[in-house]
Amino acid sequence: MPPRLFARLRDDVIPGARSKGIDVLVSAAYHSRGDDWGMVTNPSTG
């Protein structure tokens, strides 16, 4: 993730969402595009 995008998420987007009552979960674990591919292609995923 580009550093400026990360900073914007950390400083603006996530706090703004939380202030509006949106539950935002941030994972410190590494996720690759391959991790997301299974969710996109698996029809049993909600």
Side-chain angles (χ1 to χ4, degrees):
M1 175 179 301
R4 287 185 182 190
L5 176 58
F6 176 78
R8 182 168 182 223
L9 288 170
R10 181 195 63 211
D11 299 338
D12 296 327
V13 176
I14 293 172
R18 286 182 175 159
S19 72
K20 290 180 172 40
I22 299 171
D23 188 21
V24 180
L25 301 175
V26 179
S27 173
Y30 172 77
H31 296 287
S32 71
R33 290 178 188 252
D35 295 332
D36 298 333
W37 183 250
M39 294 175 62
V40 173
T41 58
N42 185 351
S44 64
T45 303

